[in-house]
Amino acid sequence: MALVTKVAEWITTGHVKQIAFLTGAGISVAAGIPDFRSPGGMYQTLQPDLITATAEQRSIMELNPTAVVSRDMFFANQFPYLEVRRPFILGTQEQNWRATIGHRFIELCHNHGLLKVLLTQNIDGLDFQYCACNRNCRPPYHVTRSSVFTGQ
């Protein structure tokens, strides 16, 4: 029996009471959103000179594009993060992308009372396509590697 079949059986027979999900770019790539590190992704296409930031912050982003979504940058200046997130928010609102089967599985778990928590690194907002319609759905927690390991 395939592993996925065994897991599905385990869930549907009532052995599973709660499920926690930790998602990243992989869940949204199927919707056509490139992950940040892939060719054509945000890190490769980032243009720090167009971002609302100090000269020093732009220089940091030029050397290390991942700085645009770093905790330190966000606490110093929220604009870079918000500006790179804006196209994802607008694209999701305009439904340029749609929630994937992975997102829908999480929705299904929620609808059956199994969803304990959704932890995500994604900034695309696809998880809100199903949570926004359901007033009982707790919005996902957005996490970074450092927040998981430090508890912040």
Side-chain angles (χ1 to χ4, degrees), residues 54 56-57 60-61 64 66-81 144 146-147 152:
T54 66
E56 180 183 0
Q57 291 167 339
I60 291 168
M61 288 183 276
N64 178 12
T66 65
V68 73
V69 292
S70 73
R71 181 178 181 201
D72 291 340
M73 181 72 72
F74 184 80
F75 284 138
N77 178 1
Q78 294 81 34
F79 286 116
Y81 170 79
T144 63
S146 63
S147 68
Q152 298 177 1

Side-chain angles (χ1 to χ4, degrees), residues 34-129:
D35 67 69
F36 290 175
R37 290 171 179 82
S38 293
M42 187 183 71
Y43 294 149
Q44 186 181 53
T45 60
L46 184 70
Q47 298 177 17
D49 54 314
L50 301 178
I51 293 178
T52 307
T54 66
E56 180 183 0
Q57 291 167 339
R58 285 190 195 107
S59 177
I60 291 168
M61 288 183 276
E62 189 71 42
L63 293 171
N64 178 12
T66 65
V68 73
V69 292
S70 73
R71 181 178 181 201
D72 291 340
M73 181 72 72
F74 184 80
F75 284 138
N77 178 1
Q78 294 81 34
F79 286 116
Y81 170 79
L82 295 172
E83 289 172 8
V84 298
R85 185 164 183 214
R86 187 171 193 266
F88 294 106
I89 295 168
L90 294 176
T92 299
Q93 180 184 14
E94 295 164 1
Q95 296 194 345
N96 294 341
W97 309 290
R98 292 197 176 276
T100 67
I101 192 169
H103 294 102
R104 295 300 177 193
F105 178 66
I106 296 168
E107 176 184 34
L108 183 67
C109 290
H110 168 73
N111 291 342
H112 287 277
L114 295 172
L115 179 62
K116 172 70 175 173
V117 68
L118 167 58
L119 302 169
T120 183
Q121 293 179 313
N122 292 347
I123 64 170
D124 55 43
L126 285 177
D127 33 37
F128 289 100
Q129 280 189 0

